[in-house]
Amino acid sequence: MFRRWPVAAVVAAAVGFATVATAAPVTIVGGATASKPAVRQRPPGPHLGGCPVFPASSAWNQEIASAPLHPLSAQIVNHIQAIGSDFVHPDVGSTFGIPFVVVPADQPLVPIRYDAYGDESDPGPFPIPPNAPVEAGSDGHVLVLQEQTCQLYELFVGRREGAGWVAASGAKFDLLTGALRPIGWTSADAAGLPILPGLVRYDEVAAGLIDHAIRVTFSQTQRGFVLPATHFASSNSDATLPAMGMRLRLRADYPIGGLTGQALVIATAMQRYGLIVADNGSNWFFQDAPDPRWNDDDLDQLKGIPGTAFEVVDTGPVRTG
């Protein structure tokens, strides 16, 4: 992962409040009879560990099927196709992807030490258990979601050190507010984004609905970011390269009707919620949370989708600070 071109400033978020009208009193004249079981309505948006994965209003949870086309969409896609792998690649399966763990609210806090990007990292302690799973490979991501508090803790190049952990960088995200990183700060991902919200999880695919953007990587990115990203990891100012945080969607006219099972659910999400550029890596790679129930034959269908089937949408200006 090529990283870290610092910038400086801060993002502030405003919260609005709705006014609730008071209804007139109702007189009950008899007992009510239920003809069918009540259906509990869950607030919109993905949920995990009893927590919303960011508020429904978060950029992560916005459909982009009707978002305006980026004026450089064709040039950006052509540039991506010219510099690396040019088909979708699901880095998904029982042993692939990025693992995570959900811990209770009383999980003990342990010290965190940073050895690379501490100036853009959140200080510990974090509630990371000693046996937390670590992503295989050089990135060594560690993802921990705490129940009840709905705080997400993520490390980059995480490894055990005594009673705690050492990492290159680390970030804490409040899933209840959706607050962004300070502008210019990285996270466990080069874009300054959280990783867990953008993973494809087996439970949501089994339920038939992914209702959030999917994290994707490209081999080259530009020196800039689009909110909710807060960080770039490139010195190249070419506007025909994808920027961190940029959104792409699978074109509406691309025929996904021939796909089946898990592949169809994922492709549908790529049309409705799209991809979000999160890091430098292999072109068109997206990750899951590892699960033995993934069906490799299903997922391999996605490898037939070319990058030219995607388009870039305009969700905001490219920023450098």
Side-chain angles (χ1 to χ4, degrees):
M1 182 190 301
F2 174 61
R3 305 176 70 86
R4 321 313 179 194
W5 290 82
V7 213
V10 177
V11 167
V15 179
F17 297 90
T19 301
V20 180
T22 303
V26 176
T27 302
I28 299 176
V29 296
T33 302
S35 59
K36 59 178 63 176
V39 177
R40 294 186 180 275
Q41 296 297 319
R42 191 195 75 176
H47 282 63
L48 184 63
C51 297
V53 185
F54 289 142
S57 60
S58 166
W60 281 94
N61 304 326
Q62 300 308 300
E63 292 194 39
I64 58 168
S66 59
L69 197 65
H70 193 285
L72 295 178
S73 174
Q75 294 94 318
I76 293 172
V77 171
N78 288 340
H79 199 156
I80 292 170
Q81 296 299 90
I83 57 177
S85 303
D86 50 10
F87 282 81
V88 167
H89 188 95
D91 193 17
V92 176
S94 59
T95 58
F96 299 108
I98 304 176
F100 71 93
V101 65
V102 178
V103 299
D106 61 356
Q107 178 68 39
L109 299 173
V110 298
I112 306 294
R113 182 176 68 84
Y114 299 112
D115 60 0
Y117 309 107
D119 57 335
E120 296 178 16
S121 296
D122 292 317
F126 287 174
I128 301 181
N131 61 343
V134 180
E135 179 194 15
S138 60
D139 283 356
H141 289 119
V142 179
L143 315 182
V144 176
L145 171 60
Q146 188 176 42
E147 294 176 327
Q148 297 183 36
T149 68
C150 297
Q151 302 297 299
L152 172 63
Y153 302 84
E154 299 187 340
L155 301 180
F156 170 57
V157 194
R159 57 264 193 220
R160 285 287 309 281
E161 180 181 71
W165 291 77
V166 61
S169 63
K172 174 183 176 181
F173 295 92
D174 188 332
L175 300 187
L176 298 177
T177 68
L180 307 185
R181 305 285 288 156
I183 294 295
W185 278 31
T186 188
S187 61
D189 240 349
L193 293 169
I195 295 172
L196 182 58
L199 298 181
V200 172
R201 303 192 311 276
Y202 176 82
D203 61 330
E204 56 189 357
V205 172
L209 176 65
I210 298 174
D211 48 358
H212 60 81
I214 298 172
R215 174 186 184 272
V216 71
T217 63
F218 292 108
S219 61
Q220 293 183 31
T221 55
Q222 69 166 283
R223 185 181 182 275
F225 56 85
V226 177
L227 296 178
T230 59
H231 186 265
F232 55 77
S234 172
S235 59
N236 194 331
S237 297
D238 189 337
T240 66
L241 284 171
M244 294 295 181
M246 191 169 271
R247 296 280 284 272
L248 302 94
R249 69 181 167 218
L250 185 59
R251 292 197 323 269
D253 63 355
Y254 184 80
I256 64 173
L259 301 176
T260 59
Q262 297 170 359
L264 179 59
V265 176
I266 295 171
T268 301
M270 289 179 174
Q271 287 185 329
R272 293 181 60 192
Y273 293 90
L275 309 174
I276 187 166
V277 184
D279 205 350
N280 292 317
S282 298
N283 272 4
W284 302 109
F285 268 55
F286 69 93
Q287 285 78 30
D288 74 328
D291 193 295
R293 296 170 293 179
W294 287 115
N295 185 314
D296 290 340
D297 291 335
D298 260 5
L299 298 171
D300 281 349
Q301 299 174 77
L302 297 170
K303 296 179 180 179
I305 301 178
T308 52
F310 288 82
E311 56 194 6
V312 183
V313 300
D314 189 352
T315 56
V318 176
R319 304 173 49 158
T320 57

